[in-house]
Amino acid sequence: MKLFGTMKAENGILAIGGVKVTELAAKYGTPLYIMDQALIEENITKYKNNFKSTKFDTSIVYASKAFLSKAICQLVGKYDIDIDAVSGGELYSIKASGLPMKKVHMHGNNKTNEELEMCLDYEIGSIIIDNEEEIGRLSKICKEKDKKVKVMMRINIGIDAHTHEYIKTSKHSSKFGESIFDERITEIVEKIVKDENMEFLGFHCHIGSQIFDTKAFHEGIESMVKETKKISEALGIYIPEINLGGGFGVYYTEKDTAIDIEQFMRSMIEHLEKSIEAEKLEIKKVTIEPGRSIVANAGSTLYTVGGTKTTYGGVKYIFIDGGMTDNIRPALYQAEYESIVANKVDAPAEEIVTVAGKCCESGDLIIKDGKLAKAETGDLVLVATTGAYGHSMSNNYNKAPKPAVVFVKDGKSTLSIKRESFEDLIRNDMLIDL
Ligand code: LLP
């Protein structure tokens, strides 16, 4: 298994943030999400230091759907970046962390009226309008509340990036945004521009997630700059901002060549500067929205091995005390991960095994045919790169309580999200009259 951030072997035991996983398991139990705080901070710093230009302002918006907790909001605050939300629940959680709501930008292809009202009541930074229908609803709510709001318009630029079908967002048939190939696009934008309760900042796009094909992002830049120019000329208006979304691919297994954040951010900036100049545009601010690439490699999930089993068919299973309830990605996207027997890191990884969860579901496999050291009951298996879309997509199937999240740094661990209790699982559950 590739070691990330502060991961280190200490006398045969894996340590993260200077804390041995055996200590973490004893203190917090398993399954356990472990977040390497220093690596999150390093990733944010890489974005901040490299996505910057002398020609325009830049902004980093952390995509909170990747992993949202009060602690991550604190880090967003500490590094003075912004954060996005796509639901009332995310808005509420961010507010509860104490982060200034001006830092929040609201997405969503089907924002409810209640969510739009929340955006106005919380006075968030901006709303990214998804479609024409939303313009009308938002306008009405703004009028009722007598409030003005900053908005961007999500456009679909039709780039077919190479990633899993479910996480592509910019194909012509995507549910997100209004297509730039739609002949009514200028008319739709005009509705926003003419609305006195809205301040139009510019266009937003997001071409998909876990993308390695850097050409797709470069095509995105070209397309966004050209579209900004085209619409600003058609409507005779100044459009100050461009938001390019997130989606930068990370390493899960040897099959992945991660995007080098520092290098790629510099090349995006260079390309942006050139295109903006070539189109003779005045752009005030360019934004990106990385989620996965900030937290994925910084997070790991620690499990205890229950039993092992070799089937009649010859598959050797390692059974762990979590599974698709804390990591749905293998079942949903055939996502692959690397893992290690974390209390035996010096033992050679010589067994081909399948790491299976405890749900009543044959697809509840976290690793299929992976190479691990011989693991026995009571050993600790650590699965790497679960920091993004692990906890945030966790669920309670088979009434599994969601695991705790612990942050580690400089030899210290801090509980960040408590493990759910059985009582938590039935908190909203009521008997009925029979
Ligand atoms: N901005 C927008 C508008 C997005 O929709 C997303 C992700 C991002 C930014 C952040 O993308 P990232 O940098 O994290 O790739 N559940 C899937 C990923 C879904 C991504 C949805 N949108 C997974 O587990 O792979």
Side-chain angles (χ1 to χ4, degrees):
M1 186 188 85
K2 184 172 158 77
L3 301 186
F4 297 98
T6 62
M7 282 181 183
K8 224 167 78 188
E10 283 180 17
N11 301 327
I13 295 169
L14 188 73
I16 309 176
V19 190
K20 286 194 180 127
V21 294
T22 41
E23 282 170 33
L24 294 172
K27 187 159 179 193
Y28 304 102
T30 58
L32 180 68
Y33 295 110
I34 304 167
M35 300 302 283
D36 181 348
Q37 189 181 324
L39 184 52
I40 299 176
E41 298 184 65
E42 185 184 316
N43 289 336
I44 296 176
T45 307
K46 281 184 182 171
Y47 275 112
K48 282 194 70 165
N49 289 349
N50 294 282
F51 193 71
K52 59 177 192 199
S53 164
T54 50
K55 310 259 163 71
F56 45 79
D57 293 340
T58 52
S59 162
I60 315 291
V61 175
Y62 168 66
S64 76
K65 71 208 82 177
F67 171 70
L68 180 55
S69 68
K70 288 181 180 170
I72 197 84
C73 291
Q74 287 176 284
L75 289 175
V76 163
K78 177 175 171 189
Y79 286 89
D80 196 23
I81 59 171
D82 280 10
I83 189 164
D84 81 356
V86 291
S87 69
E90 287 182 354
L91 281 175
Y92 183 83
S93 306
I94 295 167
K95 184 151 190 349
S97 77
L99 203 65
M101 294 308 277
K102 280 277 169 266
K103 287 183 161 299
V104 183
H105 307 277
M106 180 70 168
H107 280 289
N109 67 298
N110 185 27
K111 304 174 192 78
T112 63
N113 287 350
E114 291 74 20
E115 286 169 335
L116 291 173
E117 283 173 20
M118 268 174 106
C119 292
L120 297 181
D121 293 344
Y122 286 179
E123 303 190 334
I124 68 166
S126 70
I127 297 178
I128 295 91
I129 294 177
D130 180 85
N131 55 65
E132 188 173 8
E133 184 275 341
E134 191 184 325
I135 302 172
R137 276 193 303 123
L138 178 60
S139 174
K140 190 160 166 275
I141 295 170
C142 283
K143 284 200 181 78
E144 279 163 13
K145 292 192 175 281
D146 192 22
K147 287 209 164 161
K148 190 164 177 167
V149 65
K150 292 190 163 124
V151 299
M152 297 197 91
M153 173 85 211
R154 178 157 180 173
I155 51 175
N156 180 345
I157 54 177
I159 288 179
D160 196 357
H162 298 279
T163 186
H164 191 282
E165 199 58 33
Y166 291 0
I167 51 181
K168 284 180 178 176
T169 47
S170 209
K171 296 199 316 176
H172 290 312
S173 53
S174 165
K175 71 170 181 170
F176 299 105
E178 291 285 4
S179 172
I180 57 168
F181 302 100
D182 184 334
E183 52 192 31
R184 293 193 54 255
I185 188 75
T186 315
E187 218 178 291
I188 296 172
V189 178
E190 192 173 21
K191 281 194 179 180
I192 301 180
V193 173
K194 285 201 164 148
D195 195 303
E196 40 185 49
N197 292 83
M198 297 185 198
E199 180 185 341
F200 181 57
L201 299 180
F203 295 109
H204 168 280
C205 76
H206 172 75
I207 58 174
S209 196
Q210 184 61 352
I211 294 170
F212 300 112
D213 175 12
T214 50
K215 274 209 316 272
F217 290 109
H218 284 299
E219 282 171 33
I221 290 174
E222 285 289 315
S223 176
M224 288 295 281
V225 170
K226 288 210 163 84
E227 197 60 23
T228 300
K229 165 96 172 181
K230 194 182 105 192
I231 305 273
S232 66
E233 281 185 346
L235 294 176
I237 53 165
Y238 171 58
I239 302 180
E241 297 191 22
I242 289 176
N243 184 329
L244 297 167
F248 312 109
V250 308
Y251 180 103
Y252 282 86
T253 70
E254 281 169 3
K255 293 178 189 163
D256 307 320
T257 310
I259 286 190
D260 179 321
I261 300 176
E262 292 172 294
Q263 202 183 318
F264 189 56
M265 288 306 114
R266 287 199 295 270
S267 83
M268 276 179 80
I269 289 288
E270 207 176 297
H271 189 176
L272 274 161
E273 288 173 349
K274 277 193 190 136
S275 317
I276 288 170
E277 197 181 323
E279 295 291 343
K280 300 195 175 53
L281 270 183
E282 280 272 323
I283 292 292
K284 226 165 144 184
K285 184 156 102 179
V286 182
T287 297
I288 48 166
E289 296 171 336
R292 188 191 314 263
S293 48
I294 289 181
V295 288
N297 296 142
S300 314
T301 316
L302 188 66
Y303 303 97
T304 302
V305 175
T308 62
K309 180 194 278 182
T310 303
T311 62
Y312 181 62
V315 174
K316 172 149 189 197
Y317 282 104
I318 306 287
F319 295 146
I320 50 169
D321 53 355
M324 64 190 291
T325 43
D326 55 75
N327 186 0
I328 191 81
R329 299 191 70 260
L332 197 55
Y333 317 117
Q334 299 79 47
E336 294 180 22
Y337 288 85
E338 288 184 351
S339 63
I340 196 166
V341 181
N343 55 323
K344 294 180 176 167
V345 288
D346 296 335
E350 54 191 13
E351 281 202 322
I352 305 287
V353 295
T354 290
V355 178
K358 65 199 292 323
C359 288
C360 283
E361 194 85 21
S362 300
D364 179 20
L365 309 174
I366 296 297
I367 289 176
K368 235 176 150 179
D369 299 332
K371 265 195 164 172
L372 269 190
K374 193 169 159 37
E376 290 158 1
T377 303
D379 281 339
L380 295 170
V381 167
L382 180 123
V383 177
T385 314
T386 59
Y389 306 107
H391 178 269
S392 63
M393 293 177 85
S394 62
N395 61 83
N396 294 121
Y397 182 47
N398 292 156
K399 285 273 184 270
K402 291 185 185 172
V405 181
V406 68
F407 275 60
V408 289
K409 190 180 176 182
D410 296 335
K412 217 179 94 197
S413 66
T414 312
L415 185 62
S416 162
I417 302 180
K418 270 204 304 203
R419 181 178 305 283
E420 280 183 343
S421 65
F422 287 150
E423 182 56 33
D424 290 332
L425 297 174
I426 56 156
R427 184 179 295 143
N428 297 326
D429 193 348
M430 287 167 282
L431 294 169
I432 57 164
D433 291 334
L434 294 180

Short mmCIF file of all heavy atoms in Angstrom, two decimals, residues 22 42 49-50 63 79 82 103 121 128 168 181 183 241 243 260 285 288 291-292 296 323 345 361 363 399 412 418 424:
data_model
loop_
_atom_site.label_atom_id
_atom_site.label_comp_id
_atom_site.label_asym_id
_atom_site.label_seq_id
_atom_site.Cartn_x
_atom_site.Cartn_y
_atom_site.Cartn_z
N THR A 22 -2.85 1.12 16.45
CA THR A 22 -3.27 0.23 17.54
C THR A 22 -3.81 1.08 18.71
O THR A 22 -4.80 0.72 19.35
CB THR A 22 -2.08 -0.62 18.02
OG1 THR A 22 -0.92 0.21 18.08
CG2 THR A 22 -1.80 -1.78 17.08
N GLU A 42 -1.67 20.56 4.10
CA GLU A 42 -0.69 20.65 3.01
C GLU A 42 -1.40 20.78 1.65
O GLU A 42 -1.00 21.60 0.81
CB GLU A 42 0.16 19.37 3.04
CG GLU A 42 1.30 19.34 2.07
CD GLU A 42 2.01 17.97 2.11
OE1 GLU A 42 2.26 17.44 3.22
OE2 GLU A 42 2.28 17.44 1.03
N ASN A 49 -1.16 28.27 -2.80
CA ASN A 49 0.11 28.82 -3.28
C ASN A 49 0.28 28.77 -4.78
O ASN A 49 1.09 29.51 -5.34
CB ASN A 49 1.29 28.08 -2.64
CG ASN A 49 1.43 28.42 -1.17
OD1 ASN A 49 0.78 29.35 -0.70
ND2 ASN A 49 2.22 27.66 -0.45
N ASN A 50 -0.45 27.87 -5.43
CA ASN A 50 -0.23 27.69 -6.86
C ASN A 50 -1.36 28.15 -7.75
O ASN A 50 -1.13 28.47 -8.91
CB ASN A 50 0.12 26.24 -7.16
CG ASN A 50 1.45 25.87 -6.54
OD1 ASN A 50 2.49 26.21 -7.07
ND2 ASN A 50 1.40 25.21 -5.39
N ALA A 63 -15.13 21.72 -1.79
CA ALA A 63 -16.42 21.09 -2.06
C ALA A 63 -16.79 20.19 -0.88
O ALA A 63 -16.27 19.08 -0.73
CB ALA A 63 -16.35 20.28 -3.36
N TYR A 79 -7.47 28.51 6.95
CA TYR A 79 -6.72 28.79 5.72
C TYR A 79 -7.41 29.82 4.83
O TYR A 79 -7.00 30.06 3.70
CB TYR A 79 -6.42 27.49 4.95
CG TYR A 79 -5.33 26.73 5.67
CD1 TYR A 79 -5.63 25.82 6.68
CD2 TYR A 79 -3.99 26.99 5.42
CE1 TYR A 79 -4.63 25.18 7.39
CE2 TYR A 79 -2.99 26.36 6.11
CZ TYR A 79 -3.31 25.45 7.09
OH TYR A 79 -2.31 24.83 7.80
N ASP A 82 -12.90 29.25 0.79
CA ASP A 82 -14.36 29.22 0.85
C ASP A 82 -14.85 27.77 0.83
O ASP A 82 -14.04 26.84 0.74
CB ASP A 82 -14.95 30.01 -0.32
CG ASP A 82 -14.91 31.52 -0.05
OD1 ASP A 82 -14.27 31.92 0.95
OD2 ASP A 82 -15.53 32.27 -0.81
N LYS A 103 -18.70 32.87 3.25
CA LYS A 103 -17.75 31.97 2.61
C LYS A 103 -18.44 30.82 1.87
O LYS A 103 -17.78 29.98 1.27
CB LYS A 103 -16.83 31.34 3.67
CG LYS A 103 -15.82 32.28 4.25
CD LYS A 103 -14.94 31.52 5.22
CE LYS A 103 -13.64 32.23 5.48
NZ LYS A 103 -12.81 32.42 4.29
N ASP A 121 -31.56 33.88 4.13
CA ASP A 121 -31.58 34.18 5.57
C ASP A 121 -30.16 34.12 6.15
O ASP A 121 -29.80 34.91 7.00
CB ASP A 121 -32.49 33.20 6.32
CG ASP A 121 -33.95 33.38 5.94
OD1 ASP A 121 -34.28 34.45 5.36
OD2 ASP A 121 -34.76 32.46 6.19
N ILE A 128 -25.30 29.32 -6.97
CA ILE A 128 -25.02 28.93 -8.34
C ILE A 128 -26.32 28.37 -8.90
O ILE A 128 -26.75 27.26 -8.54
CB ILE A 128 -23.86 27.90 -8.43
CG1 ILE A 128 -22.55 28.55 -7.96
CG2 ILE A 128 -23.66 27.43 -9.88
CD1 ILE A 128 -22.22 28.42 -6.54
N LYS A 168 -19.73 11.62 -14.08
CA LYS A 168 -19.59 12.58 -15.17
C LYS A 168 -20.70 13.60 -15.01
O LYS A 168 -21.83 13.24 -14.68
CB LYS A 168 -19.83 11.89 -16.51
CG LYS A 168 -18.70 11.04 -16.98
CD LYS A 168 -19.05 10.41 -18.31
CE LYS A 168 -17.88 9.60 -18.80
NZ LYS A 168 -18.18 8.89 -20.02
N PHE A 181 -24.96 24.86 -25.69
CA PHE A 181 -25.38 24.60 -27.08
C PHE A 181 -26.88 24.87 -27.27
O PHE A 181 -27.39 24.83 -28.38
CB PHE A 181 -25.05 23.15 -27.46
CG PHE A 181 -23.57 22.88 -27.31
CD1 PHE A 181 -23.08 22.21 -26.20
CD2 PHE A 181 -22.69 23.33 -28.28
CE1 PHE A 181 -21.71 21.98 -26.05
CE2 PHE A 181 -21.32 23.11 -28.14
CZ PHE A 181 -20.84 22.44 -27.02
N GLU A 183 -29.86 27.05 -27.87
CA GLU A 183 -29.89 28.39 -28.49
C GLU A 183 -30.52 29.46 -27.59
O GLU A 183 -30.35 30.65 -27.82
CB GLU A 183 -30.60 28.34 -29.85
CG GLU A 183 -31.96 27.69 -29.79
CD GLU A 183 -32.53 27.38 -31.18
OE1 GLU A 183 -31.72 27.12 -32.11
OE2 GLU A 183 -33.76 27.41 -31.30
N GLU A 241 -16.57 37.10 -13.30
CA GLU A 241 -15.99 35.88 -12.71
C GLU A 241 -16.17 34.62 -13.56
O GLU A 241 -17.09 34.54 -14.37
CB GLU A 241 -16.62 35.62 -11.32
CG GLU A 241 -16.32 36.72 -10.32
CD GLU A 241 -16.70 36.34 -8.89
OE1 GLU A 241 -16.81 35.14 -8.59
OE2 GLU A 241 -16.90 37.27 -8.10
N ASN A 243 -16.02 30.29 -12.75
CA ASN A 243 -15.82 29.21 -11.78
C ASN A 243 -15.69 27.90 -12.54
O ASN A 243 -16.59 27.50 -13.27
CB ASN A 243 -17.01 29.17 -10.80
CG ASN A 243 -16.82 28.14 -9.70
OD1 ASN A 243 -16.18 27.11 -9.89
ND2 ASN A 243 -17.40 28.41 -8.54
N ASP A 260 -0.91 16.21 -10.24
CA ASP A 260 0.01 16.91 -9.35
C ASP A 260 -0.56 18.32 -9.12
O ASP A 260 -0.57 19.15 -10.03
CB ASP A 260 1.39 16.97 -10.03
CG ASP A 260 2.42 17.71 -9.19
OD1 ASP A 260 2.06 18.73 -8.57
OD2 ASP A 260 3.56 17.25 -9.15
N LYS A 285 -12.09 37.55 -11.18
CA LYS A 285 -11.81 36.42 -10.28
C LYS A 285 -12.09 35.08 -10.94
O LYS A 285 -13.09 34.92 -11.63
CB LYS A 285 -12.68 36.55 -9.02
CG LYS A 285 -12.41 35.49 -7.98
CD LYS A 285 -12.81 35.97 -6.61
CE LYS A 285 -14.12 35.40 -6.17
NZ LYS A 285 -14.54 35.83 -4.86
N ILE A 288 -11.91 27.77 -8.30
CA ILE A 288 -11.98 26.32 -8.49
C ILE A 288 -12.59 25.71 -7.22
O ILE A 288 -12.57 26.34 -6.15
CB ILE A 288 -10.59 25.67 -8.75
CG1 ILE A 288 -9.57 26.16 -7.73
CG2 ILE A 288 -10.14 25.88 -10.18
CD1 ILE A 288 -8.31 25.33 -7.70
N GLY A 291 -12.64 19.07 -4.03
CA GLY A 291 -13.15 18.39 -2.84
C GLY A 291 -12.26 17.20 -2.55
O GLY A 291 -11.42 17.20 -1.65
N ARG A 292 -12.40 16.17 -3.41
CA ARG A 292 -11.66 14.92 -3.24
C ARG A 292 -10.16 15.14 -3.05
O ARG A 292 -9.55 14.55 -2.16
CB ARG A 292 -11.90 14.05 -4.48
CG ARG A 292 -11.34 12.64 -4.34
CD ARG A 292 -11.37 11.91 -5.70
NE ARG A 292 -12.61 12.04 -6.41
CZ ARG A 292 -13.60 11.14 -6.41
NH1 ARG A 292 -13.48 10.02 -5.75
NH2 ARG A 292 -14.71 11.36 -7.10
N ALA A 296 -9.11 13.18 0.15
CA ALA A 296 -9.14 11.73 -0.10
C ALA A 296 -7.95 10.99 0.52
O ALA A 296 -8.13 10.10 1.36
CB ALA A 296 -9.20 11.45 -1.60
N GLY A 323 -17.75 -1.94 6.22
CA GLY A 323 -18.03 -2.36 4.86
C GLY A 323 -18.76 -1.30 4.07
O GLY A 323 -18.47 -0.10 4.21
N VAL A 345 2.83 -4.26 9.53
CA VAL A 345 3.20 -3.63 8.26
C VAL A 345 4.50 -4.18 7.68
O VAL A 345 4.75 -4.04 6.49
CB VAL A 345 3.30 -2.08 8.38
CG1 VAL A 345 1.95 -1.45 8.51
CG2 VAL A 345 4.20 -1.66 9.50
N GLU A 361 -25.22 -8.59 1.92
CA GLU A 361 -25.16 -8.12 0.55
C GLU A 361 -23.88 -8.69 -0.06
O GLU A 361 -22.78 -8.39 0.43
CB GLU A 361 -25.08 -6.57 0.61
CG GLU A 361 -25.34 -5.85 -0.64
CD GLU A 361 -26.81 -5.59 -0.92
OE1 GLU A 361 -27.64 -5.61 0.02
OE2 GLU A 361 -27.12 -5.39 -2.08
N GLY A 363 -22.39 -7.92 -2.67
CA GLY A 363 -21.51 -6.87 -3.23
C GLY A 363 -20.79 -6.07 -2.17
O GLY A 363 -20.09 -5.11 -2.49
N LYS A 399 -28.72 -1.37 10.02
CA LYS A 399 -28.62 -0.60 11.26
C LYS A 399 -27.17 -0.57 11.80
O LYS A 399 -26.91 -0.79 12.99
CB LYS A 399 -29.56 -1.15 12.33
CG LYS A 399 -31.03 -0.79 12.06
CD LYS A 399 -31.38 0.57 12.65
CE LYS A 399 -32.84 0.93 12.50
NZ LYS A 399 -33.16 1.65 11.25
N LYS A 412 -0.92 13.57 18.35
CA LYS A 412 -2.14 13.75 19.14
C LYS A 412 -3.36 13.36 18.32
O LYS A 412 -3.42 13.64 17.13
CB LYS A 412 -2.24 15.24 19.52
CG LYS A 412 -2.80 15.50 20.91
CD LYS A 412 -2.84 16.97 21.22
CE LYS A 412 -4.22 17.51 20.87
NZ LYS A 412 -4.31 18.94 20.75
N LYS A 418 -18.36 11.87 16.82
CA LYS A 418 -18.58 10.71 17.70
C LYS A 418 -19.16 9.54 16.92
O LYS A 418 -19.94 9.74 16.00
CB LYS A 418 -19.60 11.09 18.79
CG LYS A 418 -18.98 11.67 20.02
CD LYS A 418 -19.85 11.52 21.26
CE LYS A 418 -21.23 12.10 21.17
NZ LYS A 418 -21.88 12.43 22.41
N ASP A 424 -28.88 6.32 18.80
CA ASP A 424 -28.94 7.26 17.67
C ASP A 424 -29.73 6.67 16.50
O ASP A 424 -30.43 7.37 15.78
CB ASP A 424 -27.53 7.61 17.16
CG ASP A 424 -26.74 8.47 18.14
OD1 ASP A 424 -27.38 9.21 18.91
OD2 ASP A 424 -25.49 8.38 18.14
#
